Amino acid sequence: MITQVEIAGLEAPKPNRGIWTLKLKEKEGNRHLDMFLSEKEAFVITKGTTKNNNFPDLLAFVEELTADVNMRFNRIVINNIVNGYYQACMEFSLENTNYEYDILATEAIAYAISQEADIFINEAFLQEEPKQENIQNDNVQQLSDIGLERALQEAIRTENYERASALRDEIKRRKQ
């Protein structure tokens, strides 16, 4: 199941931290997801929201392409987590044919913003808040798959790279 979300905010990093936080909130509900971004990802999303003429190259290319060939972005769906990064499927139409393209969620969000497309997310990412599962638990084997991914995001955000490494190893082990 998927639900539509909107961007509720983009928080700058705290001093001496390079991690930005993109807040996605359900359009019709109270659940949310905080995505952690690098400065470069935050820049791309910010450029998408400001409609500035200085888009990064990829956004400029997409904008030109959509105008030249009458391509229309229908929506993006954030539907997966791979190696600690959210993934999305961009759905678009070209000459009355629908297409799908898998891409990093942060890039898809920037495209969606620049093209005014809807953003959806797999509800599984919204159902559990990190507080419901002790993601600080030292025994990574006891965490659920979603708990592992959230703990990994938190470890990266707090620059606890030893823990992030252990969490990535557990994620890889479970995927084998």
Side-chain angles (χ1 to χ4, degrees), residues 120-132:
F120 290 82
I121 190 165
N122 181 326
E123 286 188 0
F125 301 137
L126 298 172
Q127 290 174 348
E128 294 181 35
E129 290 297 322
K131 297 172 199 151
Q132 292 175 340

Side-chain angles (χ1 to χ4, degrees), residues 2-91:
I2 60 173
T3 190
Q4 190 170 7
V5 294
E6 60 191 359
I7 295 175
L10 180 65
E11 290 182 6
K14 293 178 174 46
N16 300 323
R17 306 243 186 223
I19 304 297
W20 290 69
T21 305
L22 175 67
K23 297 187 172 289
L24 299 175
K25 181 191 172 302
E26 265 184 309
K27 264 200 163 179
E28 296 184 20
N30 295 321
R31 298 178 294 174
H32 70 278
L33 172 71
D34 293 345
M35 291 178 64
F36 302 114
L37 312 174
S38 68
E39 184 174 6
K40 181 178 179 182
E41 291 170 319
F43 173 79
V44 169
I45 288 174
T46 302
K47 290 303 179 187
T49 60
T50 60
K51 300 273 187 171
N52 184 315
N53 288 330
N54 296 321
F55 281 132
D57 293 342
L58 285 174
L59 288 178
F61 171 74
V62 168
E63 194 166 79
E64 287 175 25
L65 180 65
T66 56
D68 289 346
V69 298
N70 197 23
M71 184 169 73
R72 183 171 133 329
F73 279 85
N74 301 323
R75 68 181 187 173
I76 70 159
V77 180
I78 300 169
N79 58 4
N80 201 4
I81 301 176
V82 177
N83 295 328
Y85 295 97
Y86 287 96
Q87 303 292 307
C89 176
M90 286 193 323
E91 299 175 3

Side-chain angles (χ1 to χ4, degrees), residues 141-155:
Q141 291 85 11
Q142 292 180 353
L143 295 173
S144 67
D145 290 347
I146 291 175
L148 269 175
E149 296 291 351
R150 289 193 170 142
L152 176 60
Q153 291 286 334
E154 179 65 17

Side-chain angles (χ1 to χ4, degrees), residues 71-72 74 91-100:
M71 184 169 73
R72 183 171 133 329
N74 301 323
E91 299 175 3
F92 59 95
S93 301
L94 178 61
E95 298 178 5
N96 297 322
T97 303
N98 293 327
Y99 296 93
E100 293 181 355

